[in-house]
Amino acid sequence: MKKIIKMIITGGGTGGHLYPALAIGEEIKSRNYNTKVRYVGSSFGIEKDVFPIINEKYNLLPIRGLQRGISIKSLARNFLLPYRLLRSIIQVKNIFNTFEPNIIIGTGGYASALPLREGLKRKIPILLQEQNSYPGITTRWFANSSNKVCIGFKEAQHFIEKKCLFTGNPVRKNIGKANKIESLKSFELKENLKTIFLFGGSQGSSLLNDFMKNNISAFKQSNIQIIWQTGERQYSKLLDFQDEKIKIIPFINNMSTAYAASDIIISRSGALTCSEILLCKKPAILIPFQNAAGNHQEKNANALKKAGACKMILEQNLNNINTIKLISNLLNNKNKLKKMSDASNQISKPKAATQIVDEALNIINEI
């Protein structure tokens, strides 16, 4: 009988940290191993809504990130931080005592730091998966103590002393597999019209929402149809713009259908978004979030831009009239769209999850 492999995969807070964790879990479960996977995230992150839907074994820690604002709400949350931290440390110890993992895989976010710390204390192997071109704080803390660091962008190596493995970012198995015609039908959109998919990450983007709102008449005159993911917070304020050619949705669980339905994507340039766009071979216009740590979103977008896979617009230029012209010209230029799609295909890393799981299993076998 084969030895049972027990793996804790920890990460979350945002979709950019959560979905790579799920992709790694999907890959290990697809193999013929006697494996148990336990996800660990935060009760304040997106994972609190996603884990119950996908019916996975998980634990949610009562930890949240340090609030940088000076509002009463932020101060109150920071006041509770030591209490939440202590409760989370106790819970992590209990998880390790009962589950007894063979390896810890960390995909970033504030909830992943405590399981990684506990793994180090117990001398359990650690593998880190860093999505961004500029590594997050959790990766920077634990990189030198880890057994392996797998990176989504080559540029991340410049900020990590330990030799990294460039795998690309793991994405869920259904991404890139949906049928375009069926996907258009699922959104009640027409096959004969060009389709834009606009979204600002799992939580939405006020900037992108305002851009679409301010230019909605121009899009309608261009006879373009739009899938518009607004995020939960602004959804109700924007719902009045919906009509037969503009589909407004707070959050899309099955991103594969939205990618498949689109001819061009307008989005932020979070690491996972970039990796999914490449895998789906979709032309894109990326608007980096200018306040991202280490300006990593602009670095992410630049990597795609250099390869010819996207156009990049900085925030301060987004509402320029040239943006509308750029979108219109791209949608009507089949050759340019084809070149961008081919460029995406050239730099995509479709086997990222496979490589990461191979590394994890090699680490376990070397013990």
Side-chain angles (χ1 to χ4, degrees), residues 279-294:
L279 186 63
C280 294
K281 299 185 281 291
K282 290 293 178 177
I285 297 173
L286 301 179
I287 301 94
F289 178 47
Q290 65 181 8
N291 295 321

Side-chain angles (χ1 to χ4, degrees), residues 87-134:
R87 283 183 58 204
S88 297
I89 289 172
I90 293 171
Q91 189 171 332
V92 167
K93 290 183 181 296
N94 288 335
I95 293 168
F96 275 68
N97 289 339
T98 55
F99 188 66
E100 298 180 336
N102 302 108
I103 191 168
I104 318 300
I105 298 179
T107 60
Y110 51 84
S112 66
L114 292 180
L116 290 169
R117 172 179 171 271
E118 188 67 20
L120 282 178
K121 287 174 64 178
R122 300 186 185 221
K123 295 183 170 49
I124 297 171
I126 285 175
L127 182 147
L128 300 179
Q129 194 278 315
E130 172 56 50
Q131 298 89 41
N132 288 295
S133 52
Y134 177 74

Side-chain angles (χ1 to χ4, degrees), residues 17 32 91 175 206 217 287 316:
H17 294 305
N32 294 320
Q91 189 171 332
I175 298 295
S206 296
S217 59
I287 301 94
Q316 61 266 31

Side-chain angles (χ1 to χ4, degrees), residues 10 47 51 55 57 66 117 171 191 249 301 321:
T10 179
E47 56 269 30
F51 284 151
N55 194 30
K57 299 287 186 182
L66 183 68
R117 172 179 171 271
V171 301
E191 295 177 33
I249 304 163
I321 192 170

Side-chain angles (χ1 to χ4, degrees), residues 43-311:
S43 56
F44 297 97
I46 187 177
E47 56 269 30
K48 74 180 187 303
D49 299 313
V50 174
F51 284 151
I53 296 173
I54 60 175
N55 194 30
E56 293 287 358
K57 299 287 186 182
Y58 66 92
N59 292 90
L60 297 176
L61 307 178
I63 189 73
R64 71 189 312 161
L66 183 68
Q67 305 296 299
R68 293 178 173 82
I70 56 174
S71 66
I72 293 174
K73 183 183 287 187
S74 295
L75 292 172
R77 287 176 175 174
N78 287 338
F79 180 77
L80 291 171
L81 185 59
Y83 170 69
R84 296 189 187 281
L85 182 62
L86 180 60
R87 283 183 58 204
S88 297
I89 289 172
I90 293 171
Q91 189 171 332
V92 167
K93 290 183 181 296
N94 288 335
I95 293 168
F96 275 68
N97 289 339
T98 55
F99 188 66
E100 298 180 336
N102 302 108
I103 191 168
I104 318 300
I105 298 179
T107 60
Y110 51 84
S112 66
L114 292 180
L116 290 169
R117 172 179 171 271
E118 188 67 20
L120 282 178
K121 287 174 64 178
R122 300 186 185 221
K123 295 183 170 49
I124 297 171
I126 285 175
L127 182 147
L128 300 179
Q129 194 278 315
E130 172 56 50
Q131 298 89 41
N132 288 295
S133 52
Y134 177 74
I137 190 168
T138 303
T139 298
R140 300 199 305 273
W141 278 349
F142 293 99
N144 289 339
S145 303
S146 67
N147 295 73
K148 182 69 69 173
V149 182
C150 297
I151 53 176
F153 286 84
K154 287 181 180 178
E155 292 81 355
Q157 180 67 80
H158 301 316
F159 306 97
I160 300 173
E161 291 182 19
K162 188 180 188 73
K163 177 65 177 174
C164 300
L165 178 66
F166 173 45
T167 59
N169 285 316
V171 301
R172 292 158 288 171
K173 289 184 179 294
N174 67 332
I175 298 295
K177 303 289 178 63
N179 175 272
K180 181 169 186 174
I181 294 174
E182 292 301 317
S183 296
L184 285 167
K185 286 180 180 177
S186 72
F187 290 105
E188 299 180 341
L189 294 172
K190 297 178 180 178
E191 295 177 33
N192 63 328
L193 296 180
K194 295 292 185 180
T195 304
I196 293 172
F197 175 31
L198 180 138
F199 70 106
S202 58
Q203 300 178 64
S205 163
S206 296
L207 184 83
L208 296 192
N209 287 340
D210 287 344
F211 165 75
M212 184 58 71
K213 181 174 66 174
N214 295 336
N215 294 282
I216 201 77
S217 59
F219 285 114
K220 287 184 177 181
Q221 291 170 15
S222 300
N223 207 27
I224 292 167
Q225 55 193 7
I226 299 166
I227 301 168
W228 180 0
Q229 179 181 290
T230 62
E232 296 283 356
R233 292 178 182 175
Q234 292 193 296
Y235 170 67
S236 60
K237 298 177 183 178
L238 299 168
L239 191 55
D240 288 344
F241 290 101
Q242 180 159 285
D243 61 25
E244 64 178 8
K245 292 194 295 186
I246 300 174
K247 304 302 176 181
I248 298 179
I249 304 163
F251 180 77
I252 299 173
N253 278 314
N254 188 359
M255 288 289 284
S256 183
T257 58
Y259 288 136
S262 65
D263 294 288
I264 194 167
I265 292 164
I266 303 174
S267 73
R268 292 298 201 181
S269 50
L272 188 62
T273 294
C274 291
S275 296
E276 290 181 345
I277 287 171
L278 293 177
L279 186 63
C280 294
K281 299 185 281 291
K282 290 293 178 177
I285 297 173
L286 301 179
I287 301 94
F289 178 47
Q290 65 181 8
N291 295 321
N295 200 24
H296 70 256
Q297 286 213 5
E298 186 172 335
K299 292 181 175 73
N300 294 348
N302 257 322
L304 273 67
K305 180 184 174 184
K306 287 177 183 176
C310 82
K311 299 291 184 181

